[in-house]
Amino acid sequence: QITSRLADVFNQRCEVNRRASVSGCVINTCGWVKGSGYQALVHAASAFEVDVVVVLDQERLYNELKRDLPHFVRTVLLPKSGGVVERSKDFRRECRDDRIREYFYGFRGCFYPHAFDVKFSDVKIYKVGAPTIPDSCLPLGMSQEDNQLKLVPVTPGRDMVHHLLSVSTADSPEANISESSVAGFIVVTGVDLERQVFTVLAPAPRPLPKNFLLIMDIRFMDLK
């Protein structure tokens, strides 16, 4: 759904921007190529109506895409360069932390982020996605609904510490927060249940531009 929405927005831009329409776009996907990851690749190709797919050193993936994509999509298999090694999970996690740190502190520490308290009552926190209920637990005649994009309210607590949150530009939960743009990101550095506030690290001074926050599973510890 989010990929389809992104494709719609891109098509709208192409309608009013000739350069974007002529140049098209390059979709850089992640390395998750099995199960749901593969289905996401096929869906992205369909939503954006791609005409060329480049597969890097994954012959099995190449053959599967050749089989499942329309005949007019040109699928190309490229070997990886000599000396290239697969990045380890720890290395990728370290790179991700470096990018998050750079978001707040800038390249070589040229930015000065702001730390301030936010009252629990001033914001609404949600997470995207709810646990799937087994079919055996559903009432008779009820079907399983898609919970992947369901908004679930989150009660502020100490388990929020070090979590990254995005600040949604939506004005209400009914505005489809999961498809709305984000104004920026903050990270929770502390929670005070007694005072009912949590401390955040933000790239801009208080107050937050909006009061709808989306919590992620990604954690960032500001240790450097």
Side-chain angles (χ1 to χ4, degrees):
Q1 183 179 348
I2 294 177
T3 303
S4 298
R5 175 61 180 150
L6 187 60
D8 289 341
V9 171
F10 176 74
N11 289 333
Q12 290 172 18
R13 183 189 177 199
C14 288
E15 290 176 1
V16 297
N17 186 321
R18 187 174 178 276
R19 285 189 176 183
S21 180
V22 171
S23 63
C25 69
V26 176
I27 305 170
N28 184 18
T29 62
C30 68
W32 186 21
V33 297
K34 295 181 180 179
S36 298
Y38 177 75
Q39 296 303 320
L41 292 176
V42 174
H43 176 65
S46 173
F48 281 87
E49 299 179 340
V50 301
D51 49 10
V52 178
V53 175
V54 178
V55 181
L56 186 63
D57 197 47
Q58 289 271 355
E59 191 168 348
R60 177 180 175 182
L61 176 63
Y62 166 77
N63 290 325
E64 289 175 342
L65 291 173
K66 284 280 286 185
R67 177 195 67 201
D68 295 335
L69 294 180
H71 65 87
F72 59 82
V73 177
R74 184 186 175 196
T75 307
V76 181
L77 178 63
L78 290 181
K80 64 182 178 183
S81 302
V84 171
V85 296
E86 188 173 342
R87 297 180 302 170
S88 68
K89 186 179 292 186
D90 289 338
F91 181 79
R92 284 185 279 120
R93 185 183 294 114
E94 187 177 334
C95 289
R96 184 190 67 194
D97 287 346
D98 286 343
R99 296 291 78 74
I100 296 173
R101 185 173 292 104
E102 190 175 302
Y103 174 80
F104 289 103
Y105 290 98
F107 183 64
R108 295 182 179 176
C110 59
F111 294 160
Y112 297 93
H114 301 261
F116 53 87
D117 291 340
V118 177
K119 293 181 180 179
F120 291 177
S121 57
D122 287 345
V123 295
K124 300 289 184 183
I125 304 174
Y126 298 90
K127 67 176 180 178
V128 179
T132 301
I133 303 173
D135 291 337
S136 57
C137 298
L138 293 172
L140 190 64
M142 292 290 289
S143 58
Q144 183 74 255
E145 63 179 66
D146 184 9
N147 289 331
Q148 289 184 325
L149 296 178
K150 186 175 182 180
L151 277 183
V152 180
V154 173
T155 302
R158 289 195 177 92
D159 56 348
M160 285 174 33
V161 177
H162 303 310
H163 273 277
L164 206 65
L165 285 78
S166 58
V167 182
S168 174
T169 58
D171 294 318
S172 68
E174 292 75 24
N176 202 344
I177 292 178
S178 61
E179 290 188 8
S180 299
S181 301
V182 297
F185 301 91
I186 58 177
V187 63
V188 179
T189 57
V191 176
D192 189 331
L193 294 178
E194 211 172 288
R195 295 171 52 223
Q196 293 285 286
V197 300
F198 58 93
T199 306
V200 301
L201 186 72
R206 70 177 79 198
L208 294 175
K210 295 285 186 177
N211 62 346
F212 291 104
L213 308 177
L214 292 176
I215 190 167
M216 311 179 200
D217 292 332
I218 297 175
R219 293 170 180 261
F220 171 69
M221 299 182 68
D222 190 15
L223 300 176
K224 291 186 179 180

